[in-house]
Every structure is written in C-alpha cells, then in structure tokens.
C-alpha cells in the first residue's frame, strides 16, 4: 500500500491497494472472489480509498471520537420474561436442521 | 381514489364514503397495472392485505377504530422483517427468507390497523443511491421509466409516486429516504436517530440507520411518523421520551405562516456540483419561505466538506461487521463450493458470500475490513469518528443561529439507469447533502421543490432540525408544500405523465 497513511495518520498522498491485498482482505471477510472480480475491484477500491484519505489530519488529537450521534449508556429493560422464538421458528430459515439443531458442514479440518 | 392523500382517505373512511377493502383493492389493481413497468415491489401480499382491510372495516363497523390511519394501506421496504412475508433486503443471500418475527415498525403498523400491501425494492442491503444494486432488478422512476428512482429506498418512493400505495416506510442511512423523495417528487422524512425503533431492521450501519415515512404529502408523513415512532425497549438506542406533536406541527405549518422562523442556508451544501435547475428551484423555495415571514441567515459548516469521506469510512466499517452474520449456517443461502469434496463450514461460508452478495456489497465489506484492520484503524476509522464529532459541533453552532437548516436534497435530478452503476464515487456524490444529518443524528425532510428547467424532472428541498425537534421539519415542510401548491395550482405529481404515456402505448 504505497504511501497509504501510516498508523500515525500522517501521509495521505496516494493510496494504492494491490490485487494481492484485496485478495487478503477478501480472505479476512470470508468471501471467495474470482480472478475477474479481483481485477475489477482492486482499482475501484484504490479510487475510493484515495477519495476518503482526505480526512487524514482534519481532526486534532484533542477531538474525542463519536461512535453514536446520541450516546446513551447502561440502557436496561425491565427484568421481565417475555416470549421468545420457539425452536421451530428459530430453525424455520435454516439451510438444514437436524434434531432441533442447525445442521452445518464440518467445522474441523482433516489434520485436526 | 388512489391519487388522494392518506389524510383524505382517512376522512373518506370515517365519513363512510369508502371502505378499507375498496382502498386496498384499488392499490392492488394499480400495482397490477403499473408495477410491471415500475418494479417498486419485490413481493405483493394481496391476500394478507385484503384480510387486514376486512378486519379494519369490521372494527370500524363496531366502532373500534384504532387510530387515524386504520384501514389505510402501506408498503414496507424489504429491509424490515415481516413475519410470514419474504424479507430479502434486495439480496440473493436472503432470497426466500421468511422472518419468524416482525420488526417493531411493522408491529406498530399492524397494531394501528394499516393493511400491508407488500415489500418494496431497494439497493442490496441499502447500499446505493439508485436501486440498481438490487439483486432482483432496478426500480424505475415513474416520471421517466429510463431513469433511477433514487436509492436505496427507490421502491418505496416509486410506489407512492406511481400511486401504488398512499404510504410507505423507508430507511435512511445516508439519504435513502430523502434522495429518492427528491428525485421522484415525493416527501420523505429521516427522523432523529433513535426516534423510530431499529428492532427488526436489518442493520446496514447501525449508528446511522433510521426508518421513516415515505409519502406524497407532509401531513401524511407526520401521521405515519406518529404511528411508527416512539420508545421501544427492544432497541437500546431508542429515545425514551414522547415524540413531539408532529401532526399538529404539520397542520400549523399548512397555514403558510412562518413568522419569526430563522432559516439557515448552509454555505457548504450548494454551489459547485449542483445542477443549475436544482439550485434555481431551491432559491425560489427559499424566497417563498421569506414571503411567509421567515428570516434567512447564511451559516457555515466547514467540516461538512469531509462528511462524504467520513461516511464512506464509518459505513463500510459498520457494514462489514453487521454483514458477518450472513454465514450460511442459520438462515439464508447456503452454496457449496464447486469441485471441493467434503468442504468445511468456512469454505461453504466463502462460496456462499461470493454467490450471495453483489458487487457493491463486496466493495463495501472489503473497504470496511481494510478500514478496521490493525495499522489502519487509527488513520481511517479512528479519524472518521473524530471528524464525526466536528460535524456534530458544526450543527450545534449552526443551530444557535438558525431554527432549521436548508439545502437542496440531492445535487441533481434523476440520472439514467446504468449511468453511474460502475463508478462508485459518482454514485456516492448523490448523498452529499443528506449524509451530514445521519452522522450527527439530526432529523431531515425532503419536500418537492419543482421541476428542473434542463430536464423537467423533480428536485427536492431539504430541511434539517436539531435532534428531537422533528416537529420543526413538519412545520416548515408543510408551509413550503402549501405555498408551492398554490403557486403551481396543484401538487407536483399531477405533472408526472410517464406512466400514462406508457399505458397509452
């Protein structure tokens, strides 16, 4: 990622995201991308990143971050039992189910 | 009958001049007639809507009407969970999914007696400004079927603009209610963040998402807002206090008197990048507000120039986390990778997310993954959160000088289908004027301001108010609507002829 802003948020001249990096990010995001998709996405992501890199340095150290526009904390509801979904309802959209459980492909690899 | 406002239809129901079944049937007939061209709906529930209409008529006969909108049909954006009705979010990954529960907004519609006509089309997971990113094909603008209806809630806006429904519900994360309103000549409101419950709203960016009304008149939006709004213990970000008197504000505004109101024109939301015809209608509308007694002040919100960049870091970051739940395990699509013998859950997950998500969703998930990755977090996401603080401060300073802020809703009128589909930045620029409100959580409305001279297509006038002061949107919006209708000799939608021409062909 040539000239990408470093962790200290200083330089933001040119942001380039390579095809390999897009492949790595897709891997982290658990999306299989085809070669054609990688070729298509990488340049588009570079353009987007370049346009958003303009915010680097806009806010000083002393500015607190905002995660929610109208912050609230310790929001509790009354501690009263309310009806939830039945097992049948919860499983109604499952791709596969067995014995009132979600049935999933194998989780462990061969060597495990 | 289908051209009347919801308020007029409610009066007709009360006077016994029509029935909910007749109204619902008229909407369903209209959908059958024009939705082949418009494609506002992904799913129509004729049977369910008629059953709810019959129940409403029975209540009315027994003197047990539940409220002013009992019996008035409504369309719901496909991002809100509806028990027993498919909910796809415009995505293949949720094709055929039928939720086992209702979103709180939907529960409130049902409790208030509104028959639900069906689910409206949208950009996949609400990512887009044109509805072209729907996996089920685009919605078309009733003013010109070759043009976009805005997005992501193009289906809801087109449904009311094409008279398929008097009312619809949308969601607005960066302008997805207001921008479609502007380009279809309809009214759309993004309430204060936390004003309408997000329970059962499939999250795009949970700190920005807000459901709200999509209608043809300002009063109708106020009526619908009062039905769907208010505190919900199932949403921890829901505001625990009563809504302001919205319907009352809309009725007061309709008198056309704005004496003493201070209107702030935001310097940064206009000028370069805005279509001349959009700006001309904006200036004329502003002049009308002055004639109605308002005082205009110019306000500067310098950080707004960074709002788009801030949004396109915060939104993908939140979206990439929110969409991690589509893992092919508990609901939705499951795709087996080709040529892999006994694939693992993770391989199935990867194949499913590739097959189930469209281009724009993949773009934003990858962008968000990047912005949140270690080494880049502080430079991108951390910085965006700080700029968000500065944007809120700009709003606070501006609202010291003005009661409401105004701008054009969208920089241009509706563009042609396909024109910006593969140019993400050009597409993102549509939300230039609407995004700051989402970042700061303040409410906004878009009201039709007229037709641009260049292309004869509708433009929108946006009004923004401080958090919790949603009533101001309705007062100013209704005043402008009244003054403009007087000037035009009727509502703007009377001049939308594309569907009539289509029918004649």
């Amino acid at each position: 990622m040539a000239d990408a802003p470093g962790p200290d948020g200083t330089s933001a001249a040119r942001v380039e995201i390579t095809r390999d990096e897009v492949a790595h990010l897709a891997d982290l995001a658990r999306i299989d991308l085809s070669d054609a998709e990688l070729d298509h996405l990488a340049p588009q992501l570079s353009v987007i990143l370049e346009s958003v890199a303009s915010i680097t340095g806009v806010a000083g150290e002393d500015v607190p971050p905002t995660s929610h526009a109208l912050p609230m904390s310790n929001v509790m509801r009354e501690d009263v039992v309310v009806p939830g979904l039945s097992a049948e309802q919860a499983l109604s959209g499952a791709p596969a189910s067995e014995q009132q459980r979600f049935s999933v492909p194998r989780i462990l690899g061969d060597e495990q | 009958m289908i051209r009347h406002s919801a308020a007029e239809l409610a009066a007709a129901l009360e006077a016994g001049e029509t029935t909910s079944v007749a109204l619902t049937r008229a909407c369903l007939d209209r959908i059958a007639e024009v939705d082949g061209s418009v494609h506002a709906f992904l799913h129509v529930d004729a049977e369910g809507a008629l059953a709810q209409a019959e129940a409403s008529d029975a209540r009315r006969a027994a003197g047990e009407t539940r409220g002013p909108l009992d019996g008035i049909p409504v369309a719901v954006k496909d991002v809100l969970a509806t028990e027993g009705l498919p909910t796809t979010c415009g995505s293949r990954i949720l094709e055929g999914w039928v939720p086992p529960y209702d979103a709180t907004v939907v529960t409130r519609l049902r409790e208030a007696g509104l028959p639900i006509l069906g689910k409206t089309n949208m950009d996949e997971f609400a990512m887009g400004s044109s509805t072209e990113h729907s996996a089920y094909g685009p919605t078309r603008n009733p003013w010109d079927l070759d043009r976009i209806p805005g997005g992501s809630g193009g289906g809801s806006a087109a449904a009311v603009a094409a008279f398929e429904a008097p009312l619809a519900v949308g969601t607005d994360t960066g302008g997805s209610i207001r921008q479609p309103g502007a380009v279809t000549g309809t009214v759309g409101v993004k309430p204060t963040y936390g004003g309408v419950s997000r329970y059962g709203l499939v999250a795009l960016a949970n700190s920005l998402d807000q459901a709200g009304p999509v209608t043809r008149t300002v009063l109708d939006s106020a009526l619908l807002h009062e039905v769907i709004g208010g505190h919900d213990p199932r949403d921890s970000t829901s505001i625990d206090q009563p809504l302001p008197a919205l319907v009352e504000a809309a009725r007061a505004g309709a008198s056309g008197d704005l004496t003493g109101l201070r209107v702030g024109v935001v310097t940064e939301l206009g000028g370069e990048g805005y279509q001349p015809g959009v700006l001309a209608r904006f200036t004329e509308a502003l002049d009308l507000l002055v004639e109605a007694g308002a005082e205009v002040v110019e306000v500067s919100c310098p950080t707004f120039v960074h709002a788009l960049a801030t949004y396109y870091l915060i939104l993908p970051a939140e979206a990439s986390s929110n969409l991690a739940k589509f893992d092919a395990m508990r609901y939705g699509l499951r795709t087996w990778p080709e040529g892999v013998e006994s694939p693992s859950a993770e391989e199935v997950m990867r194949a499913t997310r590739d097959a189930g998500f469209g281009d724009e969703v993949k773009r934003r998930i990858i962008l968000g993954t990047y912005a949140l990755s270690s080494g880049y977090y502080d430079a991108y996401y951390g910085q965006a959160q700080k700029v968000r603080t500065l944007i809120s401060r700009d709003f606070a300073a501006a609202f010291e000088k003005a009661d409401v802020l105004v701008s054009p809703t969208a920089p241009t009128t509706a563009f042609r289908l396909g024109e910006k589909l593969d140019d993400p930045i050009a597409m993102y620029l549509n939300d230039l004027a609407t995004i700051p409100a989402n970042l700061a959580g303040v409410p906004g409305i878009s009201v039709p301001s007229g037709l641009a001279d260049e292309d004869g297509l509708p433009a929108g006038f946006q009004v923004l108010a401080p958090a919790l002061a949603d009533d101001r949107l309705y007062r100013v919006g209704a005043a402008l609507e009244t003054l403009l209708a007087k000037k035009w000799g009727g509502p703007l939608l009377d001049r939308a002829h594309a569907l009539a021409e289509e029918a004649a062909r």
Side-chain angles (χ1 to χ4, degrees), chain B residues 2-267:
Chain B
I2 53 168
R3 300 182 77 93
H4 289 293
S5 71
E8 288 162 354
L9 295 173
L13 281 174
E14 198 173 326
E17 292 160 10
T18 186
T19 63
S20 178
V21 168
L23 289 181
T24 305
R25 212 179 280 283
C27 289
L28 292 168
D29 287 349
R30 177 69 175 173
I31 292 169
E33 182 194 350
V34 303
D35 210 52
S37 309
V38 178
H39 193 226
F41 284 86
L42 291 178
H43 181 80
V44 177
D45 182 24
E47 203 182 315
L50 285 169
Q52 292 158 43
E54 270 175 38
S56 171
D57 288 335
R59 278 194 298 275
R60 193 171 295 277
E64 291 164 2
T65 301
R66 289 179 184 168
L69 295 182
D70 195 338
I72 310 288
V74 65
V76 177
K77 190 178 180 183
D78 208 27
V79 72
L80 289 154
T82 40
E83 187 177 352
L85 287 186
T87 300
T88 69
C89 299
S91 181
R92 288 280 172 220
I93 214 160
L94 279 178
E95 189 166 9
W97 181 58
V98 179
Y101 71 105
D102 276 331
T104 294
V105 165
V106 173
T107 303
R108 292 193 175 164
L109 293 174
R110 294 194 202 276
E111 284 172 358
L114 288 80
I116 295 173
L117 293 166
K119 305 297 289 288
T120 57
N121 199 10
M122 57 185 281
D123 285 295
E124 185 174 4
F125 289 108
M127 297 186 198
S129 308
S130 69
T131 318
E132 291 168 291
H133 293 304
S134 167
Y136 305 99
T139 297
R140 291 164 183 275
N141 192 321
W143 287 80
D144 178 345
L145 296 170
D146 294 327
R147 291 181 188 259
I148 60 111
S152 66
S156 284
V160 298
F163 303 102
E164 294 173 278
L167 302 170
V169 178
T171 62
D172 189 314
T173 305
S176 289
I177 288 176
R178 290 163 287 159
Q179 180 255 9
V183 302
T184 58
T186 56
V187 176
V189 177
K190 182 202 93 73
T192 296
Y193 181 81
V196 176
S197 170
R198 290 183 302 109
Y199 178 78
L201 191 179
V202 181
L204 164 56
N206 41 283
S207 81
L208 306 167
D209 298 340
Q210 190 55 208
V214 173
T215 65
R216 290 189 291 265
T217 73
V218 175
L219 177 60
D220 284 1
S221 273
L223 287 161
L224 186 56
H225 192 157
E226 288 196 354
V227 168
I228 61 175
H231 183 242
D232 178 15
R234 286 177 145 159
D235 173 0
S236 64
T237 58
S238 172
I239 297 166
D240 192 3
Q241 53 178 281
L243 290 172
L246 308 174
V247 171
E248 202 181 293
R251 292 196 195 279
S255 69
D257 180 16
L258 293 176
T259 307
L261 182 85
R262 296 171 305 161
V263 174
V265 177
V266 184
T267 320

Side-chain angles (χ1 to χ4, degrees), chain A residues 1 5 7 27 29-30 32 37 40-41 44 51 55 59 63-64 66-70 72 93-94 102-103 106, chain B residues 193 207 236-237 309 330-331 334 342 344-345 350 353-354 362-363 370 375 380 383 385-386 388-389 422 425 440:
Chain A
M1 282 163 231
D27 194 48
R30 306 286 185 270
D32 271 343
E37 282 181 304
H40 191 66
L41 270 176
Q44 286 184 338
S51 72
I55 67 158
V63 178
T66 296
S67 63
H68 268 75
L70 305 168
M72 289 182 235
F102 295 101
S103 172
R106 68 178 174 84
Chain B
Y193 181 81
S207 81
S236 64
T237 58
R330 294 155 299 157
Y331 49 85
R334 177 178 289 177
S342 178
S344 67
R350 289 167 195 280
R353 288 163 67 80
D354 180 40
K362 288 173 181 169
R363 268 195 287 268
Y370 176 80
Y380 285 121
Q383 187 63 209
Q385 286 193 310
K386 287 182 174 187
R388 196 171 176 184
T389 305
D422 210 31
I425 298 288

Side-chain angles (χ1 to χ4, degrees), chain B residues 312-393:
Chain B
Y312 277 100
L313 285 166
I314 289 175
L315 179 138
E318 292 188 9
S320 67
S321 309
N322 284 324
L323 270 55
K325 64 175 163 279
F326 297 100
D327 58 7
M329 300 299 135
R330 294 155 299 157
Y331 49 85
L333 186 70
R334 177 178 289 177
T335 302
W336 298 87
E338 271 178 54
V340 183
E341 209 178 312
S342 178
S344 67
E346 198 174 308
E347 286 168 324
V348 170
M349 202 182 292
R350 289 167 195 280
T352 302
R353 288 163 67 80
D354 180 40
F357 289 143
D359 274 359
E360 181 63 16
V361 174
K362 288 173 181 169
R363 268 195 287 268
R364 294 202 199 179
I365 289 177
I366 289 173
L367 193 63
T369 307
Y370 176 80
L372 289 175
S373 56
S374 78
Y376 297 96
Y377 180 93
D378 288 340
Y380 285 121
Y381 188 64
Q383 187 63 209
Q385 286 193 310
K386 287 182 174 187
V387 179
R388 196 171 176 184
T389 305
L390 297 179
I391 288 167
S392 293
R393 287 180 185 171

